[in-house]
Amino acid sequence: MPAQRDVKPLIVDRVTKRFGGVTAVNNLSLRVAPGELLAIVGPNGAGKSTLFQLISGVIRPDGGQIWLGNTELTGKSPERIAALGVGRTFQTSRVFPGLTVWDSVRVGVHMELIGGGRFGRRVLPFYELAMALVPSRRYKKKLAELDAKAEAALRLFGDRLWPRRLDPAGSLSYANRRRLELARALVSEPIVLLLDAPTAGMNPTETAELAGIIAELHRTRPAMTIVLVEHKLEVVRDLAGRVVVMEYGSIIAEGSPSEALADPRVVEAYLGRSRRANGKVEPVYAS
């Protein structure tokens, strides 16, 4: 088990984001406790991925603030936010096709090698170049430690990635690219891990396998917060301790998976239809 760093809540405080006349996130407030596994669900266009983009600094809010513990993330660059402990995957697969699988994962620990963020003072560029050309004993030791982290991240996926570590990332199957993205996010040992539709495009066997890995991560890294956007409701029920449901940029329901997904507003907004049995509204889950 990797050493746990700081334990900090993720706080979204009255955040708004507009794109022209469309309000994608509307005065949204959310607090995610350290070590929590939270699922965010909702129909397409609800603002889920936009919220992830705001937290990770890819876009900036028009109002409100985002905090990781006592550190404000609002307005910081994506690389700075990553260095402070926010790791993420994307809704669509994003890998470096020209890099090997091995180097693609090592990218995730590069900041730790050169300093910055949680890892101390950023070193000057010429120092990094000098160490690459004539590495010191200390630099070699640190590099070996980070290589061990990269290997551990790849081996989390059994024989899916490790035997292919010298292959170009662009040669991987779609499912293995999704796994590679997760390995790259995990290798930096994030405080908060944002997973944007990690099982999208996977078949039932692949989905169950990845859900099992996420469950194991939650068990073995109890201080790491996981926020999951997921459309497969069986995955949400199996993994999440709490579910937040979004529609039109706002939260319309939250609670345990059984509570949140059975809320009549969720049935209408997210699942699209309902039936009545014994005077109660019951969800009819679309396949």
Side-chain angles (χ1 to χ4, degrees):
M1 182 189 303
Q4 295 292 341
R5 292 194 172 90
D6 302 323
V7 178
K8 301 175 180 178
L10 174 65
I11 302 166
V12 179
D13 183 23
R14 296 171 294 178
V15 165
T16 295
K17 180 61 184 179
R18 301 181 185 90
F19 296 100
V22 176
T23 301
V25 174
N26 185 19
N27 198 36
L28 187 144
S29 293
L30 177 67
R31 181 184 178 97
V32 190
E36 184 176 7
L37 201 165
L38 172 74
I40 301 177
V41 303
N44 290 334
K48 307 180 299 296
S49 292
T50 299
L51 178 60
F52 272 20
Q53 298 284 72
L54 290 164
I55 294 170
S56 58
V58 176
I59 57 177
R60 297 189 177 191
D62 296 312
Q65 298 172 309
I66 301 170
W67 299 79
L68 182 58
N70 294 324
T71 302
E72 186 174 2
L73 304 182
T74 320
K76 288 183 169 56
S77 66
E79 59 269 25
R80 177 63 175 160
I81 291 173
L84 289 169
V86 178
R88 70 164 298 181
T89 64
F90 291 83
Q91 188 174 21
T92 55
S93 177
R94 297 190 183 185
V95 299
F96 301 101
L99 293 182
T100 64
V101 171
W102 175 248
D103 284 337
S104 295
V105 174
R106 291 173 82 238
V107 165
V109 289
H110 188 70
M111 183 63 74
E112 189 169 348
L113 184 65
I114 66 173
R118 292 170 290 164
F119 310 111
R121 184 177 180 182
R122 190 185 303 274
V123 300
L124 297 175
F126 74 82
Y127 174 80
E128 182 185 1
L129 176 61
M131 288 299 99
L133 295 174
V134 187
S136 66
R137 182 179 301 177
R138 180 179 178 183
Y139 190 89
K140 288 180 179 179
K141 180 181 178 181
K142 187 64 175 178
L143 186 60
E145 292 173 356
L146 299 182
D147 283 349
K149 290 184 180 183
E151 179 177 347
L154 287 171
R155 288 189 181 275
L156 279 174
F157 301 89
D159 62 357
R160 301 291 191 182
L161 294 179
W162 180 249
R164 298 173 174 84
R165 62 190 180 279
L166 300 182
D167 295 347
S171 70
L172 295 179
S173 67
Y174 175 82
N176 276 337
R177 290 187 187 194
R178 303 294 291 185
R179 296 180 180 107
L180 178 57
E181 272 197 294
L182 180 52
R184 186 179 64 211
L186 286 170
V187 75
S188 64
E189 299 173 5
I191 297 170
V192 174
L193 178 63
L194 307 176
L195 301 178
D196 196 349
T199 69
M202 291 187 173
N203 63 38
T205 299
E206 293 164 342
T207 294
E209 180 183 307
L210 188 58
I213 289 172
I214 295 171
E216 182 67 7
L217 287 169
H218 185 49
R219 185 186 70 81
T220 58
R221 305 187 186 189
M224 182 175 70
T225 302
I226 301 176
V227 185
L228 171 76
V229 165
E230 183 55 66
H231 294 282
K232 297 177 182 178
L233 298 183
E234 66 275 12
V235 173
V236 172
R237 291 193 200 91
D238 289 344
L239 292 179
R242 180 165 63 108
V243 175
V244 165
V245 186
M246 291 182 63
E247 184 187 27
Y248 299 122
S250 299
I251 295 174
I252 62 170
E254 64 179 297
S256 68
S258 59
E259 293 169 343
L261 297 178
D263 188 299
R265 294 169 298 176
V266 178
V267 174
E268 181 179 354
Y270 181 48
L271 303 172
R273 65 187 190 274
S274 64
R275 64 168 179 256
R276 289 189 176 272
N278 300 321
K280 296 182 179 180
V281 176
E282 295 181 352
V284 178
Y285 298 111
S287 59

